[in-house]
Amino acid sequence: MIGVKCSSGCRLAGRAVRVLDDAGIRVGEVELGDAPWPGTHALYVGEILLRAPAVARVNHWSGSFGGDACHGSATAPFSFRTVRRAEHKLVIAVTERVAGTPVAGAAVFMGGHRATTDQRGVTALELPKGTYALVVRKPGYESHSRGLEVALDETVAISMDRIPQKNPDEGELWM
C-alpha cells in the first residue's frame, strides 16, 4: 500500500504515485483510490505490486507524487532488505536452563532474519542454505549466540540462563 495526504485535505483520488528504485528508474505506478482510507481525513491510498530485486542486499527506493498548480511534488524514501529464497525451515525452541520452562518473547536473529518465540518458547525461520550467526536475546536472561550451518530442515534447542535479579536495597543503609 502507498498513500498520499494533502495537508489541506484536498481530494487526491485518481492521482498517480510512482515507485522509483535505487537508480531512480520507475518500477511501478498506481492511481490513488476514490475515497480516503477509512478512519482518516484525507489519506488516499493505492495498492501496488512490486517485484523485489533478485540480489540479496538493502535497497533504497522512493515513492514519488507529482505536483500540480495546487500541490508541489513530494518524494518519500523507504528501505527494505532482499534475501535469497528460503530453502529450509529452522525451528528454534528456547527454554530456561535450570527450570526447563519455555522462554516466551525471546528475540531470535539470524543474519537479516528475525523472529520472536511464542508462549511455548518456539519460533521458526525459513532460510536459504548457509552459515549464520544465531543470536537469542531476552531481558532477564544471558544472551545466547553461536554459529549455525543451515543445510536441511531441523530443530535447534537453546537453553538460556536467567540473570539473577539484585535486591535494590542490598548494600543500602536506610534510616
Side-chain angles (χ1 to χ4, degrees):
M1 299 294 285
I2 193 165
V4 179
K5 178 181 178 183
C6 170
S7 60
S8 298
C10 294
R11 181 171 162 74
L12 300 175
R15 301 289 305 274
V17 178
R18 292 186 173 98
V19 176
L20 310 173
D21 69 9
D22 304 77
I25 297 170
R26 186 176 72 188
V27 292
E29 184 172 319
V30 65
E31 285 187 7
L32 297 173
D34 292 334
W37 184 258
T40 70
H41 172 66
L43 176 63
Y44 288 83
V45 299
E47 188 171 334
I48 186 168
L49 182 62
L50 301 168
R51 182 175 305 276
V55 178
R57 66 183 176 109
V58 175
N59 300 276
H60 304 283
W61 288 12
S62 62
S64 177
F65 179 75
D68 60 18
C70 297
H71 303 95
S73 61
T75 301
F78 63 95
S79 299
F80 62 95
R81 177 183 301 273
T82 50
V83 296
R84 295 187 340 259
R85 184 176 303 277
E87 301 169 276
H88 303 289
K89 184 175 184 176
L90 182 68
V91 176
I92 299 107
V94 182
T95 57
E96 194 271 326
R97 185 178 313 278
V98 174
T101 55
V103 178
V108 177
F109 304 91
M110 290 189 71
H113 305 270
R114 298 176 184 176
T116 303
T117 58
D118 62 16
Q119 292 301 317
R120 300 173 298 130
V122 176
T123 191
L125 292 167
E126 294 190 10
L127 304 162
K129 184 182 297 188
T131 302
Y132 297 87
L134 168 62
V135 178
V136 182
R137 294 185 184 136
K138 176 156 185 186
Y141 291 85
E142 291 283 339
S143 294
H144 174 91
S145 63
R146 74 179 206 208
L148 184 66
E149 178 73 27
V150 174
L152 48 95
D153 293 355
E154 66 179 304
T155 298
V156 174
I158 304 293
S159 294
M160 296 181 76
D161 291 315
R162 276 195 181 273
I163 297 172
Q165 298 296 316
K166 285 186 169 183
N167 180 343
D169 293 332
E170 191 174 300
E172 297 292 325
L173 178 60
W174 297 94
M175 302 183 118

